[in-house]
């Protein structure tokens, strides 16, 4: 596809000698609306060398620049040189590229097959998989897809919280009050009850905490009973989590969770010791981070048991050795900002030059209308319930509006789940938000179903118009404003994907495809397609195909399906 920004830079380069191409490109701006052109070059920087006022420079240069094939107009407004892209060239390059690259349109090979690890979701075993987990799950999923689309070799990791003192608690509680049959029936809820009960009882009787510590120690020492219980709890929990992953169509390359690193910790502790980083503090071992303005990293407790942070350090070292990653990405809530800063600093202090290839991608908090989520107090909304309710509401809507639809069940799942995922990926990831059933189940406005529906509409047009990609098309037929606006958005899709990659921000893609869908519907309403005369009809169907393709690719990068009919 023609890179018009580069062409702007080239034109400037012909008439300005003391800036290089890169400098020029970095100065090029996108005007606030198309009446002012597609690109603008501000002349302030040239004032010194030209020894003239910027608006005079702009005026003189805009006359000097040769217009060539790529632009239809170059004019100056004040200190700016505005470039208007040739609509014919734009249309041709966009529609030809999409016809040629199809679902790969927007992909590149900037990754050069380098390995990127994306760790996401990572719920805690025996705890509810709740609405708070949706963010890491769907943001991580989308980030992985975007990296893969740009030519990286990606590995999807689920760092399960399957280790730590809470397992001591669970084992102790199970041994006191647990009933295997009851738990098997409804694992997470029953385990949660045990966990809550244990915490309540421990408020009254401190000695319970010692029991929990004892059982965790036993687990670390490989006590058979403890191991068996732990394995059982892990298995039944994972089975529950997989229900959600199945609904979301998410798979992993590895579920190596915290427990996987339990035998890799002695080495890390030794290494920290050898490198002189470990300090005694009240019987515990810490890495002092005061010089870096952070509280110490607590590596080993006084009873010898290791901690969450120790496992993260061990995991990062293991991952580097095992995968030799180019980047090791963690999609984890912003509440853990300090935790990540701390352990990445420890890796740095250990002398690993790849420390900062470990990147923490934080996101904001989800709270409930009646306060924060709290597992201990049992104030949670299960993710599975949210997804299932969304599927149910979608089913009702389908029954109402399109009862004869084929594969109703499948489409209801794709649209219901898509609605939740889309909403989740619509806003900047760092923003906090309050979960509301009402908003979640309303499909009006800029939503997943709206975009999916647009895709289905495009598909039906292509079917009715018996569209064939191989047909000869004359793109010059396309000149209506609503056509050109849609084409501009398609042209900018690859850029939106790259922005999403660079900023680890899937919402660039989400928002872009909403704009594409809106522009498509505007075009659909103002330009007759199937009833147009032959040449125009062909060109318009090509545009429909291009829009459908981009919407589908965009949705798939977000982990959302695009049914052909709905
Ligand atoms: N299991 C943790 C939690 O639910 C998240 C794990 C994040 N990943 C990590 N490598 N620390 O809070």
């Amino acid at each position: 596809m023609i890179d018009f920004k580069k062409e702007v830079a080239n034109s400037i380069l012909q008439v300005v000698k003391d800036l290089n191409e890169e400098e020029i490109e970095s100065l090029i701006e996108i005007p606030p609306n198309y009446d002012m052109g597609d690109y603008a070059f501000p002349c302030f920087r040239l004032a010194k060398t030209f020894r003239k006022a910027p608006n005079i420079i702009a005026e003189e240069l805009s006359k000097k620049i040769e217009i060539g094939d790529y632009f239809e107009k170059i004019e100056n407004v004040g200190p700016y040189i505005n470039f208007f892209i040739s609509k014919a060239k734009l249309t041709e390059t966009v529609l030809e590229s999409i016809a040629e690259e199809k679902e790969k349109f927007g992909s590149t090979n900037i990754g050069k097959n380098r390995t990127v690890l994306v760790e996401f979701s990572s719920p805690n075993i025996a705890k509810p998989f709740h609405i708070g987990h949706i963010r890491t799950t769907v943001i991580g999923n989308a980030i992985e897809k975007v990296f893969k689309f740009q030519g990286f070799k990606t590995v999807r990791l689920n760092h399960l919280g399957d280790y730590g003192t809470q397992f001591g608690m669970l084992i102790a509680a199970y041994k006191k009050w647990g009933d295997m049959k009851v738990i098997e029936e409804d694992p997470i809820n029953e385990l949660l009850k045990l966990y809550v009960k244990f915490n309540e009882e421990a408020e009254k009787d401190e000695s319970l905490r010692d029991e929990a510590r004892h059982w965790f120690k036993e687990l670390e020492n490989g006590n058979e009973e403890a191991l068996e219980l732990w394995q059982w709890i892990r298995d039944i929990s994972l089975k529950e989590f997989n229900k959600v992953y199945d609904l979301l169509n998410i798979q992993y390359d590895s579920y190596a969770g915290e427990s996987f690193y339990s035998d890799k910790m002695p080495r890390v502790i030794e290494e920290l010791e050898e490198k002189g980083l470990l300090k005694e503090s009240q019987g515990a071992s810490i890495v002092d981070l005061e010089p870096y303005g952070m509280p110490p990293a607590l590596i080993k407790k006084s009873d010898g048991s290791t901690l969450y942070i120790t496992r993260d350090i061990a995991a990062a070292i293991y991952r580097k050795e095992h995968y030799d990653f180019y980047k090791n990405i963690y999609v984890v809530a912003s509440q853990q900002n300090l935790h990540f800063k701390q352990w990445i600093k420890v890796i740095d202090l250990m002398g690993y030059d790849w420390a900062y290839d470990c990147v923490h991608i934080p996101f904001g908090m989800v709270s409930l209308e009646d306060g924060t989520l709290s597992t201990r107090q049992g104030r949670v909304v299960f993710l599975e319930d949210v997804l299932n309710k969304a599927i149910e509401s979608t089913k009702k809507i389908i029954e109402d509006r399109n009862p004869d639809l084929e594969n109703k069940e499948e489409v209801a799942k794709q649209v219901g789940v898509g609605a939740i995922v889309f909403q989740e990926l619509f806003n900047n990831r760092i923003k906090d938000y309050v979960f509301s059933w009402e908003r979640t189940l309303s499909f009006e406005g800029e939503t997943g179903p709206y975009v999916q529906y647009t895709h289905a509409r495009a598909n039906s047009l292509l079917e009715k118009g018996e569209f064939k990609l191989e047909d000869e098309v004359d793109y010059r037929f396309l000149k209506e404003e609503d056509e050109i606006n849609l084409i501009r958005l398609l042209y900018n899709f690859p850029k939106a994907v790259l922005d999403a990659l660079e900023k680890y921000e899937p919402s660039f893609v989400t928002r872009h495809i909403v704009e594409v869908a809106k522009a498509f519907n505007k075009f659909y309403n103002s330009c007759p397609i199937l009833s147009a005369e032959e040449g125009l009809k062909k060109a318009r169907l090509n545009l429909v195909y291009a829009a459908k393709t981009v919407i589908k690719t965009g949705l798939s990068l977000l982990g959302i399906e695009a049914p052909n009919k709905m």
Side-chain angles (χ1 to χ4, degrees):
M1 200 161 59
I2 299 168
D3 185 340
F4 288 102
K5 191 171 171 190
K6 271 229 150 62
E7 297 305 331
V8 171
N10 280 337
S11 316
I12 303 279
L13 205 56
Q14 312 283 306
V15 292
V16 174
K17 294 293 164 233
D18 51 336
L19 291 177
N20 65 33
E21 193 178 334
E22 223 170 285
E23 288 168 317
I24 293 176
E25 267 197 56
S26 72
L27 290 173
I28 295 172
E29 296 174 15
I30 312 271
N33 62 57
Y34 293 124
D35 299 343
M36 299 162 79
D38 295 276
Y39 297 96
F41 183 80
C43 293
F44 307 104
R45 274 279 295 276
L46 303 175
K48 252 205 184 130
T49 34
F50 281 71
R51 293 164 184 261
K52 280 180 195 159
N55 41 346
I56 302 203
I57 303 171
E59 194 187 332
E60 287 176 2
L61 290 185
S62 63
K63 288 194 188 112
K64 246 167 104 182
I65 296 170
E66 262 186 59
I67 223 174
D69 284 345
Y70 296 118
F71 303 103
E72 58 190 25
K73 197 163 67 170
I74 298 173
E75 60 177 30
N76 89 292
V77 176
Y80 288 92
I81 308 173
N82 294 343
F83 290 77
F84 295 76
I85 292 178
S86 149
K87 297 191 183 82
K89 269 267 174 273
L90 174 75
T91 302
E92 180 185 291
T93 189
V94 170
L95 297 187
E96 272 180 0
S97 301
I98 297 177
E100 203 177 294
E101 298 169 37
K102 305 187 184 68
E103 257 123 65
K104 293 206 179 65
F105 176 76
S107 71
T108 67
N109 191 24
I110 58 171
K112 302 193 191 88
N113 215 24
R114 286 170 297 183
T115 300
V116 168
L117 314 183
V118 187
E119 189 215 286
F120 62 105
S121 201
S122 309
N124 294 327
I125 293 293
K127 296 259 188 84
F129 199 2
H130 58 70
I131 185 68
H133 292 116
I134 194 174
R135 311 210 68 187
T136 164
T137 308
V138 305
I139 294 169
N141 187 43
I143 288 179
E144 183 273 335
K145 287 179 189 295
V146 167
F147 271 87
K148 192 169 185 175
F149 196 54
Q150 301 305 326
F152 289 91
K153 179 170 177 263
T154 54
V155 183
R156 302 157 64 88
L157 304 176
N158 194 330
H159 188 76
L160 287 178
D162 58 1
Y163 215 60
T165 32
Q166 76 268 27
F167 286 93
M169 269 188 227
L170 271 173
I171 295 174
Y174 176 78
K175 288 188 66 77
K176 276 186 187 314
W177 312 296
D179 178 336
M180 190 170 283
K181 273 224 179 70
V182 177
I183 296 177
E184 295 260 354
E185 297 268 295
D186 185 8
I188 305 287
N189 271 320
E190 290 302 323
L191 290 170
L192 179 61
K193 272 193 211 154
L194 277 183
Y195 181 73
V196 171
K197 174 160 179 159
F198 190 89
N199 275 300
E200 278 166 10
E201 297 292 322
E203 292 284 304
K204 295 176 234 157
D205 178 1
E206 266 298 308
S207 75
L208 282 181
R209 302 235 179 258
D210 293 330
E211 260 179 67
R213 271 190 282 276
H214 162 77
W215 277 109
F216 181 56
K217 240 7 279 199
E218 287 299 296
L219 186 62
E220 286 213 293
N221 294 337
N223 170 314
E224 217 165 283
E225 188 186 5
L227 268 177
E228 242 169 58
L229 280 171
W230 168 82
Q231 186 68 50
W232 173 64
I233 294 173
R234 188 183 195 271
D235 289 347
I236 52 177
S237 304
L238 200 51
K239 222 161 111 194
E240 290 298 305
F241 297 164
N242 275 325
K243 288 189 195 162
V244 174
Y245 294 137
D246 285 347
L247 282 171
L248 292 167
N249 197 12
I250 285 180
Q251 294 87 26
Y252 283 95
D253 297 307
S254 164
Y255 286 94
E258 292 185 46
S259 69
F260 178 78
Y261 301 99
S262 61
D263 64 354
K264 296 170 182 59
M265 261 145 359
R267 177 199 138 180
V268 170
I269 294 174
E270 241 167 67
E271 198 180 322
L272 285 167
E273 224 149 48
E274 269 165 29
K275 292 182 171 162
L277 292 167
L278 227 45
K279 273 193 189 156
E280 275 290 299
S281 169
Q282 300 167 342
S285 310
I286 61 156
V287 176
D288 181 18
L289 296 175
E290 211 190 323
Y292 314 101
M294 288 185 271
L298 181 52
I299 302 290
K300 199 167 74 177
K301 288 201 220 167
S302 53
D303 68 0
S305 55
T306 56
L307 290 118
Y308 180 51
I309 196 165
T310 327
R311 295 189 276 280
D312 262 326
I313 296 168
I317 294 173
Y318 171 85
R319 288 179 190 176
K320 184 65 194 177
E321 287 174 357
H322 189 74
Y323 297 106
D324 192 21
F325 56 74
Y326 162 70
K327 268 193 184 10
N328 177 19
I329 297 170
Y330 297 78
V331 184
V332 179
S334 58
Q335 283 114 309
Q336 297 194 29
N337 281 355
L338 176 62
H339 166 77
F340 277 89
K341 266 176 108 171
Q342 284 177 303
W343 75 250
I344 292 173
K345 186 74 212 173
V346 173
I347 296 274
D348 178 26
L349 292 173
M350 289 171 93
Y352 290 118
D353 58 2
W354 48 265
Y356 295 99
D357 297 335
C358 298
V359 220
H360 174 213
I361 303 304
F363 53 83
M365 215 167 62
V366 186
S367 51
L368 301 181
E369 281 162 312
D370 59 349
T372 50
L373 289 154
S374 164
T375 304
R376 275 189 208 200
Q377 290 162 28
R379 196 165 54 228
V380 291
V381 174
F382 286 89
L383 192 44
E384 200 187 335
D385 292 344
V386 174
L387 296 172
N388 282 329
K389 272 204 190 172
I391 296 172
E392 279 312 310
S393 326
T394 310
K395 248 187 231 162
K396 278 197 203 108
I397 298 176
I398 295 178
E399 283 305 338
D400 263 12
R401 296 190 195 164
N402 194 1
D404 302 328
L405 181 71
E406 284 170 52
N407 309 323
K408 270 189 265 191
E409 297 284 318
E410 187 58 20
V411 175
K413 184 182 149 192
Q414 295 175 334
V415 176
V417 172
I420 304 290
V421 175
F422 194 92
Q423 170 179 290
E424 202 41 65
L425 295 176
F426 188 73
N427 288 318
N428 201 309
R429 63 178 152 75
I430 212 68
K431 259 171 83 174
D432 291 344
Y433 77 92
V434 179
F435 174 83
S436 109
W437 278 112
E438 200 187 292
R439 208 198 38 219
T440 298
L441 299 179
S442 118
F443 297 157
E444 303 303 317
E446 298 175 325
T447 60
Y450 170 74
V451 176
Q452 286 172 316
Y453 185 74
T454 306
H455 172 269
R457 167 178 276 172
N459 185 67
S460 125
L461 278 167
L462 295 177
E463 277 183 13
K464 284 193 194 132
E466 292 172 12
F467 169 76
K468 277 195 286 315
L469 202 46
E470 311 80 51
D471 282 352
E472 277 289 314
V473 233
D474 187 346
Y475 296 115
R476 283 171 306 182
F477 279 109
L478 303 174
K479 4 181 203 292
E480 295 296 328
E481 198 182 330
D482 288 339
E483 293 166 337
I484 302 300
N485 283 339
L486 174 57
I487 293 167
R488 280 200 183 100
L489 284 163
L490 301 177
Y491 176 76
N492 285 325
F493 175 69
K495 167 89 168 48
V497 179
L498 284 178
D499 286 344
L501 180 129
E502 263 160 38
K503 311 230 158 60
Y504 304 95
E505 182 63 82
S507 64
F508 280 106
V509 174
T510 323
R511 287 179 180 252
H512 197 80
I513 56 174
V514 166
E515 291 311 314
V516 170
K518 283 200 226 159
F520 177 86
N521 287 316
K522 205 151 176 259
F523 152 68
Y524 172 84
N525 286 322
S526 71
C527 302
I529 299 168
L530 298 177
S531 58
E533 62 80 28
E534 207 49 28
L536 179 60
K537 174 176 159 188
K538 265 190 188 159
R540 284 191 173 153
L541 279 174
N542 255 273
L543 177 52
V544 172
Y545 169 80
K548 172 193 137 101
T549 304
V550 164
I551 290 176
K552 181 165 185 180
T553 302
L555 286 173
S556 93
L557 289 174
L558 301 174
I560 300 175
E561 310 217 37
N564 276 333
K565 292 201 165 62
M566 63 184 267

